[in-house]
Amino acid sequence: MSGPRRLSIPRRVPVTARDEDGQPLSIDGREVDAVRESWLIEDRWWTERPLRRRYWEVVTTCGRNEIVFHDLVSGRWWRQR
Amino acid sequence: MESIVVCLQIPRFELTVAAGDRAELLGVPAVLAPEPGASQQVGEVSLAAEAFGIHAGMRLGEALSRCPRLMLVAPDPAGVADRWEGVLVALESIGAAVEAGRPGLACFEGRGLLRMYGGGPSRVLAAARGAVGIPARFGVAPSRFAAVAAASRARVRHPVLVAGGERRVREFLAPLSVSLLRLAAVEELRGLPGSLEQLGLLTLGELAALPIASVADRFGRAGELAHLLASGGDTPLRTRTPVEILREGLDLPEASSGAQLERALALLIDRVLARPERRGRTLRSVVLSALLVERGGTWRERLTFREALGDPVRMRLALTPRLARLPAPAASLRLSVDGFGPAAGEQRGLFDDPASERVARLREAIRQTRAAAGPDAALRILPVDPGSRFPERRAVLTPFEG
């Protein structure tokens, strides 16, 4: 084991989102049916590598519960689980 | 055959390591700040600070009043220990049996190496210089103290060699200041040069000329030892056994303290105990170190267990209280094994109870699984920061210890 392995590491995911509020419309090709919750997390703003994430907990049309976030620093989308 | 002691001296070693990439600090009046919780005395000083009359061991307040623009460099004990260990290992790699003094000062017996490298001491010095890779001063003499004194008068490219018997060594030491006794790594000699100077004894020659009985009568054991050193004698080198380095580190994404740090420590203990290099041995002593946030330097603490341990729970109990001494939140934590004990040194009860038998079976099963499938075979989930808003920071996988 080369280093401690963290659980729930975010993985890149293709997401299409609405322009005006950034709400995800489809995740990995699956259409979003409902948004359950959305929240913003900011941390390490005092360092040179701040973290700013807009999280979305959604249900896709195939019934899957997904948590994705938009990295507001890099502009990329990630799946948290 | 008389012995040949080689002394390596790296001036301002601790200050240079603590300054790190800020090399400009060595060109201005700068000192190593006192360690948190330690007495308020400055550590090593830069050349520019020496020009203000500041010296290592001076009270911080006095140093600042002598030079108000004095820069204080945060100490880096963990970095110093690492770099110094690297220097000692480099010397050992050329075949030297090394006696490690304080960081920046080491001695080794050169007689055997002369045979190995052939020629004169210059070949041994060239080998040592090449292995160490850091500009260092070298002194060569028949005794440790004379070699240290020679190294303190040497330049990086010009070692000082004192050859000949005890008489020649006495002649070399005679004009040197008694303050050199501070360099002899003996705690009881620290305060002696000041007392000798007050009595008007300024050189080692003047000290050696006194009858040993008078010196011993006035200064006791310290005086006797100082007289021996000034007369060209010394005690034998106490060389160390080359050590095996086993360490585990963990970067802490958020500056950590309190419960998070305790969980990180538990993780490190599990990881150290799971290392195959341990080969079932217990741990006699460990070094816990941390990199502090905001360039706060490092923190380092060595702990020798009351008895050699292989039990993670007892190690946690012994080590966790030490975390409270951290002067600032940590950006990374590291645990290194300093000394091993015997394999499975813990005494068991006369009659094994079923629970301990089950544990023993489980341990054996884990050992066999690891042997077959590698160290990742048996893991458990350890909550590191369960309350974190970032899910990936909440838990890590750590080696399972039955």
Side-chain angles (χ1 to χ4, degrees):
Chain A
M1 200 163 163
S2 56
R5 198 188 301 166
R6 291 189 178 273
L7 295 173
S8 310
I9 294 284
R11 298 178 194 283
R12 289 291 305 279
V13 64
V15 172
T16 51
R18 206 157 59 193
D19 286 340
E20 50 267 38
D21 57 0
Q23 181 185 317
L25 300 173
S26 77
I27 296 170
D28 207 4
R30 295 190 186 91
E31 204 178 317
V32 171
D33 189 36
V35 173
R36 285 169 57 89
E37 206 178 345
S38 171
W39 64 97
L40 179 71
I41 290 183
E42 296 201 36
D43 197 14
R44 296 174 64 169
W45 44 263
W46 60 92
T47 71
E48 290 169 1
R49 287 187 300 165
L51 288 174
R52 294 190 69 221
R53 295 177 180 180
R54 164 64 70 181
Y55 275 84
W56 298 88
E57 185 179 352
V58 299
V59 181
T60 59
T61 47
C62 60
R64 211 169 143 152
N65 197 338
E66 296 257 24
I67 294 182
V68 293
F69 68 82
H70 187 208
D71 188 327
L72 300 176
V73 179
S74 67
R76 293 175 181 156
W77 282 89
W78 303 79
R79 174 187 275 141
Q80 189 79 57
R81 76 170 184 210
Chain B
M1 194 176 171
E2 79 175 12
S3 74
I4 298 171
V5 178
V6 182
C7 172
L8 164 141
Q9 209 177 66
I10 304 174
R12 300 179 183 83
F13 183 77
E14 293 179 54
L15 182 64
T16 310
V17 173
D21 52 0
R22 296 166 294 167
E24 69 278 2
L25 285 176
L26 302 175
V28 299
V31 294
L32 211 52
E35 282 189 36
S39 65
Q40 292 297 295
Q41 291 173 319
V42 299
E44 289 183 347
V45 306
S46 69
L47 259 180
E50 264 178 23
F52 284 88
I54 299 166
H55 59 80
M58 181 178 272
R59 306 287 301 177
L60 181 60
E62 187 182 347
L64 283 169
S65 62
R66 287 191 184 205
C67 177
R69 60 191 175 91
L70 188 67
M71 301 285 284
L72 296 177
V73 182
D76 181 7
V80 167
D82 280 356
R83 290 285 296 276
W84 186 233
E85 183 61 31
V87 170
L88 297 179
V89 169
L91 287 176
E92 282 164 353
S93 73
I94 65 163
V98 183
E99 179 190 79
R102 58 176 171 73
L105 185 75
C107 292
F108 57 92
E109 174 61 56
R111 202 173 50 193
L113 294 177
L114 280 181
R115 291 201 202 105
M116 194 191 289
Y117 289 91
S122 57
R123 289 208 180 168
V124 176
L125 295 186
R129 194 177 286 125
V132 170
I134 303 174
R137 298 172 180 173
F138 285 95
V140 183
S143 74
R144 182 207 291 114
F145 179 65
V148 172
S152 68
R153 295 173 67 82
R155 293 285 166 266
V156 170
R157 285 279 154 200
H158 301 283
V160 171
L161 279 71
V162 184
E166 207 168 285
R167 198 174 64 81
R168 175 73 191 90
V169 176
R170 279 181 79 137
E171 284 169 11
F172 168 72
L173 292 174
L176 304 182
S177 164
V178 287
S179 62
L180 274 177
L181 288 169
R182 289 198 185 97
L183 293 178
V186 185
E187 191 57 43
E188 53 193 326
L189 290 184
R190 287 277 160 82
L192 195 64
S195 308
L196 292 172
E197 282 164 0
Q198 282 174 353
L199 291 170
L201 292 168
L202 301 179
T203 65
L204 293 169
E206 288 169 355
L207 176 62
L210 292 173
I212 186 165
S214 311
V215 181
D217 189 39
R218 176 69 181 81
F219 295 107
R221 165 95 186 94
E224 214 174 346
L225 184 59
H227 192 275
L228 174 73
L229 299 181
S231 310
D234 208 339
T235 51
L237 290 183
R238 292 183 302 275
T239 56
R240 68 172 203 159
T241 310
V243 291
E244 225 177 316
I245 297 170
L246 185 60
R247 67 166 69 111
E248 283 289 342
L250 183 65
D251 287 335
L252 306 163
E254 287 177 281
S256 286
S257 54
Q260 294 169 31
L261 212 52
E262 286 174 23
R263 290 192 192 96
L265 174 64
L267 171 69
L268 290 177
I269 291 171
D270 288 347
R271 287 172 58 78
V272 163
L273 291 177
R275 288 278 290 266
E277 301 96 308
R278 183 168 76 92
R279 297 192 298 277
R281 286 174 293 176
T282 48
L283 309 186
R284 172 79 59 198
S285 58
V286 294
V287 173
L288 189 60
S289 55
L291 176 66
L292 305 176
V293 292
E294 299 295 322
R295 299 195 86 134
T298 56
W299 169 87
R300 183 175 190 274
E301 193 140 329
R302 183 172 179 276
L303 175 73
T304 303
F305 298 120
R306 197 169 295 165
E307 58 179 327
L309 293 180
D311 177 12
V313 177
R314 292 177 67 190
M315 286 177 69
R316 277 201 285 275
L317 282 173
L319 285 168
T320 305
R322 303 293 173 123
L323 293 174
R325 300 186 187 174
L326 264 165
S332 74
L333 192 66
R334 204 172 66 179
L335 183 68
S336 323
V337 180
D338 198 40
F340 286 101
E346 289 150 54
Q347 289 247 337
R348 304 261 162 161
L350 185 58
F351 302 105
D352 277 347
D353 64 323
S356 65
E357 202 174 317
R358 276 199 301 277
V359 170
R361 277 193 204 149
L362 183 59
R363 278 195 181 139
E364 179 57 19
I366 291 168
R367 194 190 64 75
Q368 290 192 18
T369 313
R370 285 207 177 111
D376 284 358
L379 303 172
R380 70 184 171 101
I381 295 172
L382 177 78
V384 177
D385 188 6
S388 174
R389 297 179 299 162
F390 296 93
E392 69 267 28
R393 289 183 189 168
R394 288 175 195 157
V396 295
L397 288 170
T398 178
F400 185 90
E401 290 294 323

